[in-house]
Amino acid sequence: MSILKPWRQVVTPHADIRQGKFDASVFAADLGEVLAGRGAVDYRDAKTFFSKTYLTHGLTQLLIDVMRRLGGSGKGEAVIQLQTAFGGGKTHTLLTEYHLFKKPNEVGKLPEIQQILATAGLKSIPAVNVACLVGYSTRRRQREDVLGRDGVPA
């Protein structure tokens, strides 16, 4: 029977973790903050985001399916429902798609994206218009429209 090695012997953590400078506030991604141009650079900047994102098999396959569909091949589902428990990567998946299609010239040069394009049989990331709706942000705005920012009916 083999014994598992401690994880620090198998992988090397990012520098911020090794140096004790990990900022826990960047642990939870917020799509609304990214869309507003705020929030942690780890999520806001496309290159930084991809440099810190491990593209799992499932996420890679999703990117391939979406690019094929948007690329006009007719392959891939028109609607994809992301179903995971809390912390399962739904927001991270949406951010991946957002950066991929919002900044195709920037992220399209990355080796991992080039590999995904080759697997998808595409020469480039399909050019699309990106629209995002963050549900909790909309509810907050609707409440403010009805009640005003101070919570008092307008």
Side-chain angles (χ1 to χ4, degrees):
M1 183 165 118
S2 65
I3 297 174
L4 290 175
K5 293 180 181 179
W7 67 269
R8 287 188 178 259
Q9 291 180 9
V10 180
V11 297
T12 303
H14 280 276
D16 56 345
I17 295 170
R18 289 193 315 268
Q19 297 165 2
K21 296 179 181 177
F22 176 68
D23 180 2
S25 70
V26 303
F27 186 68
D30 187 325
L31 182 59
E33 288 294 298
V34 171
L35 296 175
R38 298 185 303 256
V41 70
D42 292 13
Y43 299 113
R44 196 177 65 240
D45 178 74
K47 281 188 177 179
T48 303
F49 177 81
F50 275 99
S51 75
K52 293 190 172 193
T53 296
Y54 177 74
L55 297 174
T56 63
H57 173 75
L59 182 54
T60 298
Q61 192 58 53
L62 181 77
L63 295 175
I64 290 168
D65 291 346
V66 171
M67 284 195 292
R68 283 179 174 164
R69 178 69 182 198
L70 295 176
S73 72
K75 297 178 182 176
E77 297 295 325
V79 176
I80 300 170
Q81 183 176 4
L82 301 177
Q83 295 180 339
T84 64
F86 179 78
K90 295 177 294 292
T91 301
H92 207 90
T93 298
L94 294 172
L95 283 168
T96 305
E97 298 285 350
Y98 173 78
H99 286 307
L100 182 73
F101 294 110
K102 191 72 174 171
K103 307 258 175 91
N105 295 331
E106 191 174 325
V107 300
K109 298 172 187 166
L110 299 173
E112 58 269 34
I113 301 302
Q114 286 292 309
Q115 179 60 46
I116 290 171
L117 286 167
T119 302
L122 298 170
K123 293 182 179 166
S124 62
I125 297 168
V128 298
N129 293 318
V130 177
C132 297
L133 175 68
V134 180
Y136 68 84
S137 179
T138 302
R139 287 191 303 271
R140 185 181 318 133
R141 240 182 257 114
Q142 287 173 342
R143 182 178 178 276
E144 288 175 1
D145 289 347
V146 173
L147 296 177
R149 288 189 181 269
D150 58 2
V152 177

